[in-house]
Amino acid sequence: MKYVKELISYNNAKKIVFNKLEEFLSDKFLEVDIFKALGKICFEDIYSPCNLPMFNKSAMDGYAVIAEDTFGASETNPIILNLVKEGHLNEEEAFRLSTGMKLPKNSNAVVMKEYTKDHETFVEVISGVYPNENVSKIGEDLKKGDIVLKKGETITPYHIALLSSIGMKKIKCYSLNIGIISTGDELLDIEDLIDLKQLEENEMIVNSNVLMLSDLVRELGLTVKPYKKAPDNPEFIEKAIKLALLENDIVVTTGGTSVGDRDYTIEKISEMGNLLFHGVQLRPGRPAGFLECEFNGKKRLIFVLSGYPVASGIQFELFIRSYFKPRKSINLPLNRNIASSLGRTDILRVKIVEEDGISKIEPLRISGSGILSSMTLASGYIIIEENLEGYEKEDIVKVYLL
Amino acid sequence: MKYVKELISYNNAKKIVFNKLEEFLSDKFLEVDIFKALGKICFEDIYSPCNLPMFNKSAMDGYAVIAEDTFGASETNPIILNLVKEGHLNEEEAFRLSTGMKLPKNSNAVVMKEYTKDHETFVEVISGVYPNENVSKIGEDLKKGDIVLKKGETITPYHIALLSSIGMKKIKCYSLNIGIISTGDELLDIEDLIDLKQLEENEMIVNSNVLMLSDLVRELGLTVKPYKKAPDNPEFIEKAIKLALLENDIVVTTGGTSVGDRDYTIEKISEMGNLLFHGVQLRPGRPAGFLECEFNGKKRLIFVLSGYPVASGIQFELFIRSYFKPRKSINLPLNRNIASSLGRTDILRVKIVEEDGISKIEPLRISGSGILSSMTLASGYIIIEENLEGYEKEDIVKVYLL
């Protein structure tokens, strides 16, 4: 197989992909309405244009006061303050307000309603407050110029709350169209499936890769265009890829990668531009390829992924997902030994289990590029670098959480 | 304040909510097309109707053989097998196939192309295979009757791959309409915002809660209907809530919960049905309320959340998110002491940091119900139960990952 001669290390492959993506994405953004920004990826650092809160606010229902006026107040020694209606306090005055209202000028604390008796023109305070008590101070959440969101961060509901609070109606987010093509005579698109007998009798399998990869793209907050399966026919594959290149910024193919009898995908793609690598010292996921080309005057990237669902899932994870939305990682001890081969990066699906009260990493027993349930049962994965022969029980290892 | 008299424990409140939700949701499902099922919550256990793979498949490009025929093959001692074109092998016969193709009857292994020389009518095998080598065995991924997805699980791209592979075109998912109403004179809906000066001059804040809560609902794969802010006017609030009850299964309100001067929300809602609790021994999030009612002949639930964004975020997290999509949790040591009050459940936002190679939990220093950035900076939270006065450094604690 062609790629056997040209295998590169996972770390080199990753470097090549990430560098190309960085360059490629420099102008791939859209101003997204805040109502639709959830889950998208922020394209630039965002700094706060104002303080938040913008003014000193009451944190309670009660009375704005000058704290010093209330010192020593108690039930047996209530302090009397005159109620005013204007936005400015003099000594021995108070101002009635509700939670969230702006403090009048010269006031510096709020007495909770519970510790007062209201007499319309004056109020009795039966418990003193210190300066800033029950006050949301100007700028305590964000100061003008504070960073709110960093380039590359995924926008959560809490970010939305913060961004809207500082008046952002639109957010610059990554915007990309990604086309997905699966190749293989044996594939049947799910919309063409009648029943299971049809699969068995025709010795076909459902084109599950196109569905999985489409949803993996959707999870990135990017736009996906899934295509119908391409049969193992070089002209057809060429046409399909060209259409996808026309309609998308990036094309992801699965299947036909190993330069076998029917492996026209990589053959056809190689003719289209600059094949940056094909074949990675990686398991699962070895036959990954990556190409840049110009099509119709525009720069395009093509990811050539394996036809095996687990392999293509892992390849997507490592080369695409990790760039756009890196998984959270945690360092935990292993609960058993793991063997690995030198010279190859191994991706091991794992579960997190509780042992002696602490969380530990347990490798899943199932493996194999065909075993999809190894992905649905995994709570994460670990990367065993190519210079390691494995790990020992109790070694602390970084687990990436799925 | 009314709720001070009626505070119930967080665990009791949670039990009440979860029991009601379970009952309420018993008929709230929809058959969702597999193209649109990502991120939705599965409504029922799904068992595989077939084996996966459905037949023995080749895992490589090569030749299907009877493994026993190839024993002892080597470069110096190649074994000759006759090539056949039919789907049945006799002794000393081989069948050419590509990855993914069904094995012919009577064959039990595949010799990789690399270890053969093809002579059109026969093939030389230069390396033996053992039974099942390079074969994806029938049922190795799923056996007929295996559970594929459990009720309550969130559907991932890997589930989609697995579900489509066994021919599922539609999936029964939870289906709910949730209406969101924020109340408060001080609120300005973002669509009505012109500039920051407008906020400062009118002493208003952006209605960020409705945006945050809407996106929190969207993250559950449920349908949300955000309403315009309701001013602190009892008739208006009543009308707004009734409209929301008409148009949704569940209504979530924020603000006006503390029975203050302007706190009409809880007052109006209390009149509408059976207030199951109002006020929880919880920090942040104390003024949470929960009500069931009948409206227009239909059962409805109302969650009454705090007006403070962090408090309402935590209340949503604990009472709604945790039911539908519980966060992943991990047990890790604390990197410092934490104090808490007896008789109250504390929700502490934390970061996960690396210390001595292992991941540890570090409480965020910022706190306060108004400090939204405590949510955007947190990588998770811990729940300090009401019977604890805190934790000591190195105690192992469960962290829920945001």
Side-chain angles (χ1 to χ4, degrees):
Chain A
M1 284 180 281
K2 189 175 165 205
Y3 64 74
V4 173
K5 298 182 206 144
E6 301 170 15
L7 287 184
I8 68 167
S9 74
Y10 158 61
N11 285 321
N12 277 343
K14 184 177 156 181
K15 222 172 283 166
I16 291 170
V17 170
F18 281 27
N19 285 338
K20 278 291 160 203
L21 279 175
E22 180 132 345
E23 187 188 310
F24 183 72
L25 293 169
S26 61
D27 60 350
K28 303 287 188 295
F29 68 88
L30 206 67
E31 298 240 325
V32 176
D33 195 286
I34 194 159
F35 295 102
K36 295 183 176 172
L38 178 68
K40 299 205 179 286
I41 305 164
C42 187
F43 187 78
E44 60 180 5
D45 293 346
I46 297 177
Y47 298 91
S48 182
C50 60
N51 291 305
L52 189 69
M54 296 177 75
F55 39 80
N56 290 329
K57 289 193 307 181
S58 178
M60 292 289 170
D61 289 348
Y63 297 86
V65 297
I66 299 164
E68 291 74 7
D69 286 348
T70 69
F71 289 175
S74 70
E75 272 199 73
T76 54
N77 180 32
I79 283 170
I80 309 292
L81 301 174
N82 289 318
L83 279 173
V84 296
K85 305 243 164 186
E86 268 172 295
H88 184 279
L89 282 200
N90 294 308
E91 268 175 45
E92 299 187 9
E93 287 182 346
F95 180 85
R96 192 188 295 124
L97 36 57
S98 305
T99 307
M101 280 172 67
K102 183 174 175 174
L103 259 65
K105 274 180 202 150
N106 212 30
S107 67
N108 64 359
V110 172
V111 181
M112 285 170 70
K113 214 173 57 175
E114 290 87 319
Y115 301 117
T116 62
K117 281 178 205 152
D118 195 309
H119 299 273
E120 295 209 12
T121 57
F122 65 94
V123 64
E124 279 181 73
V125 173
I126 59 166
S127 180
V129 283
Y130 48 83
N132 296 326
E133 194 166 342
N134 300 320
V135 175
S136 292
K137 290 274 290 176
I138 180 170
E140 73 173 6
D141 201 342
L142 287 176
K143 296 208 176 4
K144 187 174 172 172
D146 276 357
I147 193 152
V148 183
L149 198 58
K150 287 187 195 138
K151 181 184 170 83
E153 275 191 283
T154 295
I155 297 169
T156 69
Y158 310 121
H159 289 127
I160 294 289
L162 205 50
L163 292 165
S164 63
S165 296
I166 55 170
M168 308 270 309
K169 296 178 137 191
K170 286 181 182 287
I171 301 154
K172 252 188 210 174
C173 298
Y174 282 93
S175 170
L176 268 184
N177 294 300
I178 301 187
I180 313 281
I181 301 176
S182 296
T183 67
D185 286 339
E186 75 280 16
L187 300 179
L188 184 72
D189 287 314
I190 186 117
E191 62 270 25
D192 299 329
L193 174 72
I194 300 160
D195 58 23
L196 293 172
K197 214 181 262 176
Q198 181 192 9
L199 293 173
E200 207 166 354
E201 283 173 0
N202 296 292
E203 300 178 10
M204 296 181 94
I205 57 170
V206 172
N207 183 3
S208 60
N209 269 345
V210 74
L211 298 170
M212 176 182 75
L213 292 167
S214 296
D215 279 342
L216 286 167
V217 171
R218 287 186 189 107
E219 283 192 331
L220 300 180
L222 303 174
T223 308
V224 71
K225 179 144 193 170
Y227 291 88
K228 294 212 69 127
K229 75 104 174 237
D232 294 314
N233 168 313
E235 284 84 50
F236 197 104
I237 289 174
E238 189 177 351
K239 248 171 87 176
I241 292 173
K242 285 187 169 168
L243 177 64
L245 286 171
L246 193 69
E247 297 183 328
N248 300 277
D249 303 297
I250 291 179
V251 174
V252 176
T253 71
T254 69
T257 60
S258 60
V259 201
D261 292 341
R262 302 183 307 162
D263 293 320
Y264 303 114
T265 313
I266 188 65
E267 194 183 310
K268 278 294 155 199
I269 288 175
S270 307
E271 297 166 9
M272 291 181 186
N274 181 15
L275 189 65
L276 295 164
F277 62 79
H278 177 223
V280 181
Q281 283 291 17
L282 178 67
R283 177 170 163 169
R286 190 168 67 155
F290 182 55
L291 179 132
E292 71 174 341
C293 63
E294 255 200 44
F295 189 79
N296 215 19
K298 283 182 182 148
K299 210 174 198 186
R300 295 287 184 249
L301 300 177
I302 306 181
F303 288 89
V304 184
L305 308 189
S306 175
Y308 279 112
V310 175
S312 61
I314 296 273
Q315 289 161 342
F316 188 97
E317 174 68 30
L318 298 177
F319 295 119
I320 304 177
R321 166 92 197 195
S322 299
Y323 181 83
F324 288 101
K325 288 194 183 179
R327 303 279 181 182
K328 280 176 193 124
S329 65
I330 288 183
N331 294 355
L332 294 175
L334 278 167
N335 77 350
R336 67 173 77 150
N337 297 337
I338 298 172
S340 174
S341 293
L342 273 182
R344 182 184 75 199
T345 301
D346 275 10
I347 308 300
L348 197 69
R349 279 84 77 207
V350 302
K351 273 195 307 185
I352 291 167
V353 295
E354 261 180 53
E355 267 180 31
D356 319 320
I358 201 167
S359 294
K360 295 195 177 179
I361 301 171
E362 179 169 294
L364 281 177
R365 278 166 202 279
I366 36 174
S367 65
S369 287
I371 315 286
L372 260 169
S373 43
S374 73
M375 298 299 280
T376 59
L377 296 175
S379 38
Y381 62 90
I382 61 176
I383 298 176
I384 310 173
E385 298 285 351
E386 57 181 4
N387 60 343
L388 292 178
E389 287 189 88
Y391 287 107
E392 289 188 11
K393 187 174 165 172
E394 299 305 330
D395 278 355
I396 290 171
V397 175
K398 189 179 287 298
V399 57
Y400 296 87
L401 300 171
L402 287 171
Chain B
M1 283 180 282
K2 189 174 162 202
Y3 65 75
V4 172
K5 300 182 207 145
E6 301 171 14
L7 286 183
I8 66 166
S9 75
Y10 159 62
N11 285 321
N12 277 344
K14 183 176 155 182
K15 222 173 282 166
I16 291 170
V17 170
F18 281 28
N19 285 338
K20 278 291 161 202
L21 279 174
E22 179 132 344
E23 189 188 309
F24 183 72
L25 293 169
S26 62
D27 61 349
K28 302 287 187 297
F29 68 88
L30 206 68
E31 298 241 323
V32 176
D33 196 286
I34 194 159
F35 294 102
K36 295 182 176 172
L38 178 68
K40 297 203 180 288
I41 304 164
C42 187
F43 187 78
E44 60 179 5
D45 293 346
I46 297 177
Y47 298 91
S48 181
C50 60
N51 291 306
L52 188 70
M54 296 178 75
F55 40 79
N56 289 329
K57 289 194 306 181
S58 177
M60 292 288 171
D61 290 347
Y63 297 85
V65 297
I66 298 163
E68 290 75 6
D69 286 348
T70 69
F71 289 174
S74 69
E75 271 201 75
T76 53
N77 180 32
I79 282 169
I80 308 292
L81 301 174
N82 288 319
L83 278 172
V84 296
K85 306 241 163 190
E86 270 173 293
H88 183 281
L89 282 200
N90 294 310
E91 267 175 48
E92 299 188 9
E93 287 181 346
F95 179 84
R96 191 188 295 125
L97 35 58
S98 305
T99 306
M101 280 171 67
K102 183 174 175 172
L103 259 66
K105 276 181 203 150
N106 213 29
S107 67
N108 64 359
V110 172
V111 181
M112 285 170 71
K113 214 171 60 174
E114 290 87 317
Y115 301 117
T116 61
K117 281 177 204 154
D118 195 309
H119 298 273
E120 293 206 15
T121 57
F122 67 94
V123 63
E124 279 181 75
V125 173
I126 59 167
S127 179
V129 282
Y130 50 82
N132 296 325
E133 195 166 344
N134 300 321
V135 176
S136 292
K137 288 275 290 178
I138 179 170
E140 74 173 4
D141 201 342
L142 287 176
K143 297 207 174 7
K144 187 173 173 174
D146 275 356
I147 193 153
V148 182
L149 198 58
K150 285 186 196 138
K151 179 183 172 82
E153 275 191 282
T154 295
I155 297 169
T156 69
Y158 310 121
H159 288 129
I160 294 288
L162 204 49
L163 292 165
S164 63
S165 296
I166 55 170
M168 307 270 309
K169 295 178 137 192
K170 285 182 182 289
I171 301 153
K172 251 187 211 173
C173 297
Y174 281 92
S175 171
L176 268 185
N177 294 300
I178 302 186
I180 314 279
I181 301 176
S182 296
T183 67
D185 285 338
E186 76 281 15
L187 300 178
L188 184 72
D189 287 313
I190 187 118
E191 61 270 25
D192 299 328
L193 174 72
I194 300 159
D195 57 22
L196 293 172
K197 216 181 263 177
Q198 181 191 10
L199 293 173
E200 209 167 355
E201 283 173 2
N202 296 292
E203 300 179 8
M204 296 181 93
I205 58 169
V206 173
N207 184 3
S208 60
N209 269 346
V210 74
L211 299 170
M212 176 182 74
L213 291 167
S214 296
D215 279 342
L216 285 169
V217 172
R218 287 186 188 107
E219 283 192 332
L220 300 180
L222 302 174
T223 308
V224 72
K225 179 146 193 169
Y227 291 89
K228 294 212 69 125
K229 75 106 173 235
D232 293 314
N233 168 313
E235 285 83 51
F236 198 104
I237 289 175
E238 187 176 353
K239 247 171 88 177
I241 291 174
K242 284 186 172 168
L243 177 65
L245 285 171
L246 192 71
E247 297 183 328
N248 300 276
D249 304 296
I250 291 178
V251 173
V252 176
T253 71
T254 69
T257 60
S258 59
V259 200
D261 293 340
R262 302 183 309 162
D263 293 319
Y264 303 114
T265 313
I266 188 64
E267 193 184 310
K268 279 294 156 199
I269 287 174
S270 307
E271 300 166 7
M272 291 181 185
N274 181 17
L275 188 65
L276 296 164
F277 63 80
H278 177 222
V280 181
Q281 282 291 17
L282 178 67
R283 178 171 163 167
R286 190 170 66 155
F290 182 54
L291 179 134
E292 72 173 341
C293 62
E294 255 200 44
F295 189 79
N296 215 19
K298 282 181 184 153
K299 210 174 200 185
R300 297 285 184 249
L301 300 177
I302 306 181
F303 288 89
V304 184
L305 308 188
S306 176
Y308 279 112
V310 175
S312 61
I314 295 275
Q315 288 161 342
F316 188 97
E317 174 68 30
L318 297 178
F319 295 120
I320 305 177
R321 166 91 198 197
S322 299
Y323 180 84
F324 288 101
K325 288 194 182 179
R327 303 278 180 182
K328 280 175 195 126
S329 65
I330 288 183
N331 295 356
L332 293 175
L334 279 166
N335 77 350
R336 67 174 78 149
N337 297 338
I338 299 173
S340 174
S341 293
L342 272 183
R344 183 184 75 201
T345 302
D346 275 10
I347 308 299
L348 197 69
R349 279 84 78 207
V350 301
K351 275 194 308 185
I352 291 168
V353 296
E354 261 181 51
E355 268 179 30
D356 320 320
I358 200 168
S359 294
K360 295 194 177 179
I361 301 171
E362 180 169 294
L364 282 178
R365 278 166 202 279
I366 36 174
S367 65
S369 288
I371 315 285
L372 261 169
S373 43
S374 71
M375 298 298 281
T376 59
L377 296 173
S379 38
Y381 62 91
I382 62 176
I383 298 176
I384 309 174
E385 298 284 352
E386 56 181 5
N387 61 342
L388 293 178
E389 287 189 88
Y391 286 108
E392 290 187 11
K393 188 176 166 172
E394 299 304 330
D395 278 355
I396 290 170
V397 174
K398 190 179 287 297
V399 58
Y400 296 87
L401 300 170
L402 286 171

